[in-house]
Amino acid sequence: MTAELPAATASRLDWHVASVTDVRRETARTCSIVLDVPQWPGHRAGQHVDVRLVADDGYQAQRSYSIASPPEDASLVLTVERIDDGEVSPYLCDVLQAHDGLELRGPIGGYFVWDIAEGGPLLLVAGGSGVVPLAAMLRHRAHAAASVRASVPAHLLYSARTWDDIIYRDDLEQLAKFSDVTVAFTITREAPSDWRGYRRRIDRAMLEEIGWPPSATPRAYVCGPTPLVESVATLLVEIGHDPARVRTERFGPTG
Amino acid sequence: MAGNPFIARGFHSRRPAAPPGRLPPGQYETRDFPVLSAGPTPRPPLAAWDFTIRDSEGHSVRWSWDDLRALPRETPTADIHCVTKWSKFDTKWEGVSVDTLLAAARSAGVASNPFVLAVSDGGYTTNLPLADVTDGKAWIAFGYGGEPLAPEHGGPARLLVPHLYFWKSAKWIRGLRLLPDDQPGFWEQLGYHNYGDPWREQRYQGDP
C-alpha cells in the first residue's frame, strides 16, 4: 500500500463559494450538481470535496461528495445520493438550484485516484453511488488520445438494485462503445423482463469473467457500500490480485 | 472562515442537537459504525501474529497474540471522531494500555523517543507524538462492544487513540516504531493533517 504514493494534494484547502449552474436528477435517488468553482486548483479522478452548509442561525453541517466530472471539464460536477432522513443530501437535491451558491473545499483524497499516466489495465467495481468516482476515471480516460487509451483498457462492473437505479446509464453505455472499454451491469433486485445481464450480487465468477487475470496486474478500484467493498476486495485477493493494487473507498449513507 | 459565513439559502438543521461539548466542529453523530479503509482487509493467522515495539537503534520487544492477551486489560469507553465527519459516542473497547507495553519495552532496553509511527498489516502507517499515546490516552484494542474486534474494524487488534481523528487509530496494527524525528504516515503524506485534533478541526494539511 505504501509502494506507489501519488504526490500530496495542495498545501491548504480553503473554503470557496461555488456557483450552482444546474441541479439535475440522475435517478430517483440521486442528483448531480453542476458547479462553477472560482480558483479551482484542479483535481484527479477519484477525489472528493467537502461541502459545508451554514444555516442563518449559525448551525452548520459538512459532508463529503465524490467528484463525477473528469479533471478536463470546466465545470465541477458532484453526484449526491439522496438520503430521505438526511439533512444535507435532501437540501442539495431538493432545495438547491441554479444561481445559488454552495460552499466547498477540495479536492480531497490522494489515494483513491487514477491518472491515465499511471497506466492500467483498469478494473473498476462499483456498487450503487460508488460508481461516481469510477465514472470520473472513465471520463478522464476518454479524454486521452486513442493510442494512449488502447494501452490502458478498462473494465467496469457495476452492481445496482434496479435498471433505473443505474447512475449515468446512458453515459456509461456511450463510453462502452470504445472497443477497449467493457461495462457490465448486475441488477440485484428487479431487472427488466428482457434483461440478459447478470442478476445477482457480485461474486467470484463474475469478477473472474469481467476482471482481468492476476497476470495482467490490473489496477483495481472498488467503491460502494461496505458489504460490497469488503466482499469484492477479499475476492480479488483470493483470486490472486496483489492487495497493494486493490484500492477501496467505502460509502456509508451520509445524510 | 474569514468574515461573514456564507449562509446556504433555505438550509435548516434537521437533526436533534448533540449534548453540549460532545460534538467537535463539522461532525455529526451516527449510531452506525461506518467502515473506511484504503485497501482489502488483511486477515493474518493469529498463530503468526505478533506485536513489536522497536526503537531507531533496532532494539525491540515482541509479543505474540497470547502474550498480548495475557497482559492486564482495560475497558475504555470513548467518543470517536472520523475525519469523514461522523462521530460515535460511548464506544466500548477492551485492550491493553500502550503505557503497559511501553513500560515493558523500556525494561527490555528499547529507547524512548519523542515520536511514534504505528505500522499495520497491509502497509498502513500513521504518526503520533509519543505524548499522545501515553498517560492513559491510547490502547491496543482487541475487543469492541463485548466481542472480538471484527476484521473490517481493525481486528485482530487496532490502535485506539480516541482524542484524535480516527485514522490515527490504526487498524490491523502490528507494531510501534519509536523515532527521534516525526515521520508522516500514510494519510499524513496524502494531504491529511499531521496531528488531527478533532476539536481544532485539523482535517487536512494547512488547517489550523
Side-chain angles (χ1 to χ4, degrees):
Chain A
M1 200 152 98
T2 49
E4 306 172 58
L5 297 182
T9 49
S11 61
R12 187 187 164 89
L13 294 172
D14 289 319
W15 290 99
H16 295 284
V17 179
S19 304
V20 177
T21 56
D22 191 18
V23 178
R24 60 174 185 249
R25 184 65 69 173
E26 294 282 357
T27 65
R29 295 165 63 228
T30 58
C31 70
S32 285
I33 299 158
V34 184
L35 297 160
D36 180 15
V37 190
Q39 296 151 6
W40 180 246
H43 67 279
R44 287 177 288 165
Q47 290 190 295
H48 60 274
V49 299
D50 281 2
V51 167
R52 176 165 69 182
L53 301 180
V54 181
D56 52 15
D57 64 357
Y59 175 84
Q60 64 154 278
Q62 291 183 34
R63 296 292 186 275
S64 298
Y65 294 103
S66 280
I67 299 170
S69 48
E72 291 80 5
D73 285 9
S75 295
L76 191 78
V77 180
L78 309 179
T79 299
V80 175
E81 180 171 2
R82 188 188 181 290
I83 307 299
D84 287 342
D85 60 355
E87 64 176 354
V88 176
S89 61
Y91 174 86
L92 296 176
C93 287
D94 301 348
V95 179
L96 194 70
Q97 58 191 39
H99 309 300
D100 280 333
L102 181 66
E103 196 175 26
L104 57 80
R105 65 173 178 162
I108 294 159
Y111 188 66
F112 196 84
V113 294
W114 182 74
D115 184 284
I116 195 158
E118 295 173 58
L122 204 49
L123 172 57
L124 308 176
V125 185
S129 61
V131 75
V132 176
L134 307 185
M137 294 178 190
L138 284 180
R139 289 162 176 159
H140 162 63
R141 184 188 169 285
H143 278 270
S147 58
V148 176
R149 288 199 309 268
S151 67
V152 189
H155 290 177
L156 168 67
L157 175 58
Y158 178 9
S159 175
R161 293 181 197 180
T162 72
W163 179 244
D164 289 333
D165 283 324
I166 297 174
I167 307 168
Y168 320 131
R169 194 178 61 208
D170 294 346
D171 192 26
L172 292 172
E173 290 186 323
Q174 280 298 119
L175 287 166
K177 287 181 177 163
F178 289 114
S179 59
D180 41 24
V181 177
T182 301
V183 173
F185 301 120
T186 182
I187 296 176
T188 56
R189 292 192 189 170
E190 295 160 41
S193 53
D194 60 346
W195 174 246
R196 296 171 66 184
Y198 295 119
R199 321 184 54 137
R200 57 185 200 269
R201 290 177 187 276
I202 294 173
D203 56 20
R204 180 170 178 149
M206 218 181 280
L207 289 169
E208 286 176 328
E209 284 162 23
I210 300 297
W212 306 86
S215 58
T217 62
R219 294 174 184 278
Y221 292 84
V222 186
C223 187
T226 290
L228 178 144
V229 174
E230 277 293 314
S231 162
V232 169
T234 300
L235 288 167
L236 289 173
V237 173
E238 284 175 13
I239 289 167
H241 294 283
D242 178 359
R245 291 176 79 88
V246 178
R247 300 186 182 198
T248 62
E249 188 105 287
R250 304 163 200 231
F251 279 20
T254 52
Chain B
M1 186 165 30
N4 294 326
F6 174 78
I7 305 298
R9 178 193 59 81
F11 174 66
H12 308 287
S13 170
R14 287 173 60 177
R15 285 178 168 269
R22 279 198 91 168
L23 207 52
Q27 297 290 109
Y28 65 93
E29 185 191 356
T30 181
R31 305 287 167 94
D32 302 330
F33 195 166
V35 171
L36 293 113
S37 17
T41 296
R43 288 182 171 73
L46 289 180
W49 188 94
D50 62 7
F51 183 85
T52 304
I53 297 182
R54 176 173 292 129
D55 65 21
S56 50
E57 305 291 309
H59 305 112
S60 65
V61 59
R62 173 187 171 275
W63 291 264
S64 69
W65 177 250
D66 289 340
D67 294 338
L68 182 76
R69 306 271 304 177
L71 295 171
R73 297 181 188 184
E74 297 182 4
T75 53
T77 295
D79 296 352
I80 57 177
H81 311 290
C82 179
V83 72
T84 64
K85 322 288 177 339
W86 58 266
S87 293
K88 186 172 175 63
F89 296 153
D90 295 322
T91 59
K92 292 180 168 49
W93 302 83
E94 181 176 31
V96 174
S97 170
V98 172
D99 292 316
T100 302
L101 298 164
L102 287 172
R106 269 192 298 278
S107 303
V110 177
S112 189
N113 271 313
F115 296 99
V116 174
L117 186 72
V119 296
S120 297
D121 275 325
Y124 184 78
T125 56
T126 189
N127 57 309
L128 311 98
L130 182 72
D132 284 86
V133 297
T134 51
D135 294 330
K137 291 196 284 291
W139 296 265
I140 303 301
F142 41 71
Y144 174 75
E147 304 283 340
L149 183 60
E152 65 269 29
H153 289 303
R158 77 181 297 164
L159 184 61
L160 174 65
V161 195
H163 70 285
L164 298 177
Y165 280 126
F166 215 46
W167 89 78
K168 295 285 185 179
S169 293
K171 293 178 178 180
W172 315 307
I173 194 162
R174 292 295 295 272
L176 299 176
R177 305 282 174 266
L178 307 183
L179 304 172
D181 300 303
D182 197 11
Q183 181 181 322
F186 180 78
W187 288 122
E188 295 84 0
Q189 294 174 63
L190 290 173
Y192 284 78
H193 198 274
N194 195 55
Y195 183 65
D197 180 351
W199 295 98
R200 287 187 277 168
E201 207 171 358
Q202 296 173 333
R203 299 181 194 276
Y204 312 116
Q205 275 176 24
D207 283 352

